[in-house]
């Protein structure tokens, strides 16, 4: 699968590494191809660098991992994406994009994409590099896009990727991420933990 990574910071780089190891083609979309975060990713044999519009045009799936304040300036660069899949791993921390309730809503209203999913936002990039044993979640209105995100979560090594609901649940999923951030950084638990669904035996 051809996956464009827009935003090559910690999260984008971690996902790029995992998907590259799983055999996907990684297209880094950057503003300055000579100087960008995550340049070491180019050492992977199936990773190339492009302008953002070119990466988007070549990809089947587009992961956009940028700070909330930058969403409104990046969105116009995502052209002709109506039938592509956009994966949104961003969280409204410390605040959502101006004029929107959350990041998912901003992407949904500023692009013409019909297949946007919230995914890979509920844990830290450290866990994305080694997610074995952890669960993750996906939300969105496109069943096709959710299935693709669930497959990509499995490729990374997550134990399960649960369907969290349709697009109106994306904001709730962002709140789950804020819970993780609170425990990891403000309550001293560190980043070495994640979420799991534990099922109790059915009662008689």
């Amino acid at each position: 699968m051809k996956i464009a990574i827009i935003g090559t910071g910690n999260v984008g780089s971690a996902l790029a590494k995992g998907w590259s190891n799983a055999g996907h083609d990684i297209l880094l979309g950057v503003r300055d191809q000579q100087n960008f975060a995550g340049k070491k990713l180019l050492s992977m044999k199936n990773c190339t660098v492009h302008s953002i519009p070119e990466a988007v045009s070549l990809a089947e799936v587009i992961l956009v991992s940028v700070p909330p304040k930058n969403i409104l300036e990046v969105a116009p660069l995502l052209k002709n994406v109506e039938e592509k899949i956009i994966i949104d791993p961003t969280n409204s921390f410390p605040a959502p994009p101006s004029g929107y309730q959350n990041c998912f809503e901003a992407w949904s209203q500023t692009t013409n994409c019909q297949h946007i999913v919230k995914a890979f936002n509920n844990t830290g990039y450290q866990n994305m590099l080694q997610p074995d044993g952890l669960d993750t979640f996906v939300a969105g209105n496109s069943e096709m896009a959710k299935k693709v995100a669930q497959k990509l979560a499995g490729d990374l090594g997550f134990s399960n990727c649960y369907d969290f609901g349709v697009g109106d649940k994306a904001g709730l999923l962002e709140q789950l991420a804020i819970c993780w951030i609170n425990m990891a950084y403000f309550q001293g638990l560190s980043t070495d933990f994640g979420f799991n669904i534990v099922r109790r035996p059915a009662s008689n």
Side-chain angles (χ1 to χ4, degrees):
M1 186 175 291
K2 295 183 184 299
I3 305 174
I5 305 286
I6 314 301
T8 53
N10 290 332
V11 171
S13 292
L15 294 173
K17 289 175 184 176
W19 288 329
S20 174
N21 290 336
H24 297 288
D25 293 325
I26 305 301
L27 312 169
L28 304 179
V30 301
R31 293 183 184 274
D32 182 351
Q33 297 182 43
Q34 303 304 316
N35 183 27
F36 61 94
K39 197 169 184 179
K40 291 181 179 179
L41 295 171
L42 293 177
S43 63
M44 302 184 301
K45 64 180 181 180
N46 51 342
C47 181
T48 54
V49 64
H50 309 264
S51 67
I52 293 175
E54 182 181 33
V56 168
S57 70
L58 294 171
E60 303 160 79
V61 175
I62 304 154
L63 177 107
V64 196
S65 180
V66 298
K69 64 181 181 180
N70 297 130
I71 289 177
L72 300 185
E73 65 184 65
V74 172
L77 302 176
L78 309 185
K79 299 183 182 300
N80 301 316
V81 293
E82 184 172 356
E83 295 304 323
K84 295 179 184 283
I85 295 170
I86 292 179
I87 297 176
D88 165 28
T90 57
N91 291 306
S92 299
F93 183 84
S98 178
Y100 297 93
Q101 295 185 46
N102 54 63
C103 297
F104 181 88
E105 181 183 82
W107 288 119
S108 298
Q109 294 187 19
T110 57
T111 71
N112 67 348
C113 183
Q114 303 300 306
H115 306 288
I116 302 177
V117 289
K118 171 71 70 178
F120 309 112
N121 74 303
N122 68 285
T123 194
Y125 73 92
Q126 303 90 336
N127 290 330
M128 296 177 196
L129 291 167
Q130 292 183 304
D132 295 344
L134 296 179
D135 292 333
T136 191
F137 309 91
V138 62
N141 296 322
S142 169
E143 293 300 320
M144 179 269 288
K146 286 197 280 190
K147 285 180 171 35
V148 169
Q150 288 172 319
K151 170 64 167 58
L152 290 174
D155 290 344
L156 291 171
F158 281 97
S159 293
N160 300 285
C161 182
Y162 290 98
D163 190 337
F164 207 75
V166 295
D168 65 358
K169 300 299 187 294
L172 185 59
L173 195 49
E174 288 191 19
Q175 290 301 308
L176 179 63
I178 302 302
C179 292
W180 186 90
I181 291 169
N182 171 61
M183 294 300 296
Y185 293 104
F186 299 109
Q187 306 307 321
L189 196 58
S190 87
T191 60
D192 223 10
F193 82 100
F195 296 120
N196 288 92
I197 299 294
V198 178
R199 295 181 182 275
R200 296 177 58 191
S203 58
N204 295 327

